[in-house]
Amino acid sequence: MKWIGLIAVVLTGALLLSAVGDFPDFGDPKSPANGGVGDFSVSQYYITHTEQDTKVPNVVTAVLADYRGYDTMFETTVIFIAGIGIIAILRSHPPGGRRGPAHPIDATVDGDHQRIIIGITCRIMIPIIQIFALYVVAHGHHSPGGGFQGGVMLGASFILIGLSRDLQAALARFSERRFIVLACLGVAIYAGFGLLCLLLERNFLDYGVLDGFFHTDPVMARSHGIFAVEVGVAFTVTAIMFAIYANLSSKGRLDEGL
Amino acid sequence: MFETFSIIAGAILLLLMLPAFYRVVVGPTAIDRIVAVNVIGTKTAVLLVFIGVIFGRVEMFVDFALAYGMLNFIGSLAAARYLHRVRPFYGKGGQLAEAEATPTERP
Amino acid sequence: MMYRAVTFSLLLAIWLVFSGIYDAFHIGLGILSCLFVTWISSDLLFDDRSLGFRARLGQAWRLGGYLAWLGWQLVLSNLHLLKLTLKPGAMAEVEPRITLYRTALKSDFEKFLLANSITLTPGTITIKILGDDFYIHSISKFAADGLDGQMERRIAAIFAPAGSGSPSPSAD
Amino acid sequence: MILDLVSMLLIAAGLLFFVGAAVGLVRFPDFYTRMHAAGKGDTLSSLLVISGFALHEFKDFEGMDFILALKLLAICVFIMMTSPTSTHALIDAGYEDGIEPVIAPDAENVLGDPTSRQP
């Protein structure tokens, strides 16, 4: 079984490497992406048409979530699969059964400083970090940012609860059930908007057709579609960030954590 | 005038990361390296503001700096917490361990 | 309820400062986000809820004054550190020591403020707090002598104004 | 112009403190003293540099400049809150990790030997 896997990996790798020779040179101004084929250039099109196509000032966001939305959907799915893989591996066979903490905690070492200094700082910082994370998600159109970055920070704020108290306090707010549901929901939102476009007889993830759904014109609908998709990405990234921390820090037992 | 000054100051700040980097490489203890990485992180956050001023897009780079600072803070807290609870390097990096013949191990 | 409202308006103020785009769509998103954060973590920002709004406002005002004083102390501390590092021969003045400092402050937030102020000012870092005992690492004798209790008196004055005479209950 | 000069002065002062912190990080004898240079040199110098920029952004006295300066000051507040906490967390972790502090000959370590506290 191991050998079959190895052969598959080597064959795929060789196949991919053999295609490298056909790529344009690095930074070649005449490559299809830069110079274009004939008089049509991809990057020129993005730079000149993004504003009138989608009303999104930030070209990168438009390319990421609209023009190449298919790619980003599977990036989100990769994150989702990574998280689910970690949960599946660690939760199914936690070392030493489900009893007892992973790291025995010595109360005399802790003193009062953990509770006072780190606890109070984190208590004050966490809501501020959360509002900043939501700000990053919401302003993906205007500033660099969006679902991935905001999701990482929102997940980090929950990790901070786990660091300043213990994992139980964090799990009380964001339980295992909730983070798995939220991770699935994020991917479902992204794929669901794509499917909605498909049902309305347009291409997958072609948000322009959703103008009836958002009660706007087709251009604004693309802008809103990008935002909705970013929210889905943020859901998945938040949930998976916290799920990975919770499982790795407690070795899959979800009891005391670090 | 102010832009030239910012570029020079930013270059000096970048050079000042070298002493911290020396600490990352030399150690001698694991936590010394973590502290030095933390110092480099703080300097990077400030450097991002420099870059924002030079490019004239401060409002954008402030977000970067703040996000970087936040993740730096969370990272150093997590590292400290890990060393505190798990103690993977217990007694190995301290000067006492070098003097003693028998290494101390955590039960 | 009042604390929730205060949390919400603080968060909204932060959002408005950061956003910089004031159209209906973004402000609406801001209000939604603030409601969400208030819902999931309003118990974090304010821990002790026994005090009235007016008393809190007074505390916040005095806290601002204290922070200004602390900023000046921060400059002094860094000048001392700069002298230790850059002046040739000053390395002999580096005489690290760990000292014990016993405080009369009672509530957690006061201790937190004292510990962080100690960490920020003249060459001293709080290593541990055990009960009322602060274990402090100082970099030189000058720095260790700086801990003369002035800081503690100022912190106590924030939470118990001189007129009232009675020690304040606990404060956030 | 005057505002530019003042902000340049602030940034230069911040850089000077950054130099102090960097030199201290290399020259100080043990982990605990290096922590002093790392934790505090960075705090004040970041505050000075960023407040210098905040002053510089204030040039036109418009509403948006004010918001931008406030945004920069938010970084200052953030650093002021988090820096002492992470300094404390790291020095405490170092102590619990059994790093022996260098103590001056005329003083004693009231906290006791870090490695004797092994559970």
Side-chain angles (χ1 to χ4, degrees), chain A residues 191-213:
Chain A
F193 270 99
L195 212 59
L196 203 61
C197 303
L198 206 60
L199 287 177
L200 293 171
E201 300 180 343
R202 288 283 281 275
N203 286 333
F204 193 64
L205 292 174
D206 188 356
Y207 314 119
V209 74
L210 297 175
D211 50 352
F213 185 75

Short mmCIF file of all heavy atoms in Angstrom, two decimals, chain A residues 191-213:
data_model
loop_
_atom_site.label_atom_id
_atom_site.label_comp_id
_atom_site.label_asym_id
_atom_site.label_seq_id
_atom_site.Cartn_x
_atom_site.Cartn_y
_atom_site.Cartn_z
N ALA A 191 -19.71 27.76 -1.60
CA ALA A 191 -20.18 26.89 -2.68
C ALA A 191 -21.64 27.17 -2.97
O ALA A 191 -22.08 27.08 -4.12
CB ALA A 191 -19.98 25.43 -2.29
N GLY A 192 -22.42 27.55 -1.94
CA GLY A 192 -23.84 27.80 -2.13
C GLY A 192 -24.08 29.00 -3.04
O GLY A 192 -24.96 28.95 -3.90
N PHE A 193 -23.28 30.07 -2.87
CA PHE A 193 -23.45 31.22 -3.77
C PHE A 193 -23.09 30.84 -5.19
O PHE A 193 -23.73 31.28 -6.15
CB PHE A 193 -22.62 32.40 -3.28
CG PHE A 193 -23.38 33.27 -2.34
CD1 PHE A 193 -23.21 33.16 -0.97
CD2 PHE A 193 -24.30 34.18 -2.82
CE1 PHE A 193 -23.93 33.94 -0.10
CE2 PHE A 193 -25.01 34.97 -1.96
CZ PHE A 193 -24.84 34.85 -0.60
N GLY A 194 -22.05 29.99 -5.32
CA GLY A 194 -21.71 29.53 -6.67
C GLY A 194 -22.85 28.74 -7.28
O GLY A 194 -23.23 28.94 -8.45
N LEU A 195 -23.44 27.88 -6.47
CA LEU A 195 -24.50 27.00 -6.96
C LEU A 195 -25.75 27.81 -7.31
O LEU A 195 -26.45 27.50 -8.26
CB LEU A 195 -24.82 25.98 -5.87
CG LEU A 195 -25.27 24.61 -6.35
CD1 LEU A 195 -24.20 24.00 -7.21
CD2 LEU A 195 -25.57 23.72 -5.17
N LEU A 196 -25.98 28.88 -6.52
CA LEU A 196 -27.14 29.74 -6.77
C LEU A 196 -27.03 30.36 -8.16
O LEU A 196 -28.02 30.42 -8.91
CB LEU A 196 -27.18 30.83 -5.70
CG LEU A 196 -28.51 31.49 -5.43
CD1 LEU A 196 -29.51 30.46 -4.96
CD2 LEU A 196 -28.35 32.55 -4.38
N CYS A 197 -25.79 30.79 -8.51
CA CYS A 197 -25.59 31.34 -9.85
C CYS A 197 -25.85 30.27 -10.91
O CYS A 197 -26.41 30.55 -11.96
CB CYS A 197 -24.16 31.85 -10.00
SG CYS A 197 -23.71 33.07 -8.79
N LEU A 198 -25.42 29.04 -10.61
CA LEU A 198 -25.59 27.94 -11.56
C LEU A 198 -27.08 27.67 -11.77
O LEU A 198 -27.54 27.42 -12.88
CB LEU A 198 -24.89 26.70 -11.01
CG LEU A 198 -24.41 25.66 -12.01
CD1 LEU A 198 -23.42 26.28 -12.96
CD2 LEU A 198 -23.76 24.51 -11.27
N LEU A 199 -27.85 27.76 -10.66
CA LEU A 199 -29.28 27.49 -10.75
C LEU A 199 -30.00 28.56 -11.55
O LEU A 199 -31.03 28.30 -12.16
CB LEU A 199 -29.89 27.40 -9.34
CG LEU A 199 -29.53 26.15 -8.56
CD1 LEU A 199 -30.14 26.23 -7.17
CD2 LEU A 199 -30.05 24.92 -9.27
N LEU A 200 -29.45 29.79 -11.53
CA LEU A 200 -30.06 30.87 -12.29
C LEU A 200 -29.53 30.90 -13.71
O LEU A 200 -29.55 31.95 -14.37
CB LEU A 200 -29.81 32.20 -11.58
CG LEU A 200 -30.51 32.33 -10.24
CD1 LEU A 200 -30.05 33.56 -9.49
CD2 LEU A 200 -32.01 32.39 -10.44
N GLU A 201 -29.00 29.76 -14.17
CA GLU A 201 -28.58 29.57 -15.55
C GLU A 201 -27.44 30.48 -15.97
O GLU A 201 -27.41 31.03 -17.06
CB GLU A 201 -29.77 29.75 -16.49
CG GLU A 201 -30.87 28.75 -16.20
CD GLU A 201 -32.05 28.90 -17.11
OE1 GLU A 201 -32.14 29.96 -17.75
OE2 GLU A 201 -32.84 27.98 -17.18
N ARG A 202 -26.48 30.68 -15.07
CA ARG A 202 -25.24 31.37 -15.44
C ARG A 202 -24.09 30.48 -14.99
O ARG A 202 -24.31 29.39 -14.48
CB ARG A 202 -25.15 32.74 -14.76
CG ARG A 202 -26.09 33.74 -15.34
CD ARG A 202 -25.61 34.30 -16.67
NE ARG A 202 -24.58 35.30 -16.46
CZ ARG A 202 -24.86 36.58 -16.21
NH1 ARG A 202 -26.10 36.99 -16.13
NH2 ARG A 202 -23.89 37.45 -16.06
N ASN A 203 -22.85 30.98 -15.21
CA ASN A 203 -21.70 30.17 -14.80
C ASN A 203 -21.58 30.10 -13.28
O ASN A 203 -22.11 30.96 -12.57
CB ASN A 203 -20.40 30.76 -15.37
CG ASN A 203 -20.31 30.48 -16.85
OD1 ASN A 203 -20.86 29.50 -17.33
ND2 ASN A 203 -19.63 31.36 -17.55
N PHE A 204 -20.85 29.08 -12.83
CA PHE A 204 -20.60 28.92 -11.40
C PHE A 204 -19.85 30.15 -10.89
O PHE A 204 -18.87 30.59 -11.51
CB PHE A 204 -19.76 27.66 -11.21
CG PHE A 204 -19.66 27.18 -9.81
CD1 PHE A 204 -20.79 26.75 -9.13
CD2 PHE A 204 -18.44 27.13 -9.17
CE1 PHE A 204 -20.70 26.29 -7.83
CE2 PHE A 204 -18.35 26.66 -7.88
CZ PHE A 204 -19.48 26.24 -7.21
N LEU A 205 -20.30 30.74 -9.77
CA LEU A 205 -19.69 31.91 -9.15
C LEU A 205 -19.73 33.14 -10.04
O LEU A 205 -18.88 34.01 -9.94
CB LEU A 205 -18.24 31.63 -8.74
CG LEU A 205 -18.02 30.63 -7.62
CD1 LEU A 205 -16.54 30.35 -7.46
CD2 LEU A 205 -18.57 31.14 -6.32
N ASP A 206 -20.72 33.26 -10.91
CA ASP A 206 -20.89 34.47 -11.70
C ASP A 206 -21.94 35.32 -10.99
O ASP A 206 -23.14 35.22 -11.25
CB ASP A 206 -21.34 34.09 -13.11
CG ASP A 206 -21.35 35.30 -14.03
OD1 ASP A 206 -21.08 36.40 -13.53
OD2 ASP A 206 -21.61 35.12 -15.21
N TYR A 207 -21.46 36.19 -10.07
CA TYR A 207 -22.41 36.83 -9.13
C TYR A 207 -23.32 37.84 -9.79
O TYR A 207 -24.27 38.28 -9.17
CB TYR A 207 -21.66 37.54 -8.00
CG TYR A 207 -20.55 36.75 -7.39
CD1 TYR A 207 -19.25 37.22 -7.43
CD2 TYR A 207 -20.81 35.55 -6.75
CE1 TYR A 207 -18.23 36.51 -6.86
CE2 TYR A 207 -19.78 34.83 -6.20
CZ TYR A 207 -18.50 35.32 -6.26
OH TYR A 207 -17.48 34.61 -5.70
N GLY A 208 -23.01 38.24 -11.01
CA GLY A 208 -23.80 39.29 -11.64
C GLY A 208 -25.27 38.97 -11.74
O GLY A 208 -26.11 39.86 -11.76
N VAL A 209 -25.57 37.67 -11.75
CA VAL A 209 -26.96 37.27 -11.93
C VAL A 209 -27.76 37.40 -10.63
O VAL A 209 -28.98 37.30 -10.62
CB VAL A 209 -26.99 35.82 -12.47
CG1 VAL A 209 -26.64 34.84 -11.38
CG2 VAL A 209 -28.32 35.48 -13.10
N LEU A 210 -27.05 37.67 -9.52
CA LEU A 210 -27.74 37.71 -8.23
C LEU A 210 -28.35 39.08 -7.94
O LEU A 210 -28.62 39.40 -6.80
CB LEU A 210 -26.76 37.35 -7.11
CG LEU A 210 -26.18 35.94 -7.17
CD1 LEU A 210 -25.15 35.77 -6.08
CD2 LEU A 210 -27.28 34.92 -7.00
N ASP A 211 -28.55 39.91 -8.97
CA ASP A 211 -29.04 41.27 -8.71
C ASP A 211 -30.42 41.26 -8.08
O ASP A 211 -30.75 42.12 -7.27
CB ASP A 211 -29.03 42.10 -10.00
CG ASP A 211 -29.70 41.36 -11.15
OD1 ASP A 211 -30.02 40.17 -10.95
OD2 ASP A 211 -29.90 41.95 -12.21
N GLY A 212 -31.23 40.26 -8.42
CA GLY A 212 -32.53 40.17 -7.78
C GLY A 212 -32.42 39.79 -6.31
O GLY A 212 -33.13 40.30 -5.46
N PHE A 213 -31.45 38.94 -6.04
CA PHE A 213 -31.25 38.46 -4.68
C PHE A 213 -30.80 39.60 -3.76
O PHE A 213 -31.23 39.70 -2.62
CB PHE A 213 -30.20 37.35 -4.72
CG PHE A 213 -29.95 36.66 -3.43
CD1 PHE A 213 -30.86 35.74 -2.91
CD2 PHE A 213 -28.80 36.94 -2.70
CE1 PHE A 213 -30.61 35.11 -1.72
CE2 PHE A 213 -28.57 36.30 -1.51
CZ PHE A 213 -29.47 35.39 -1.02
#
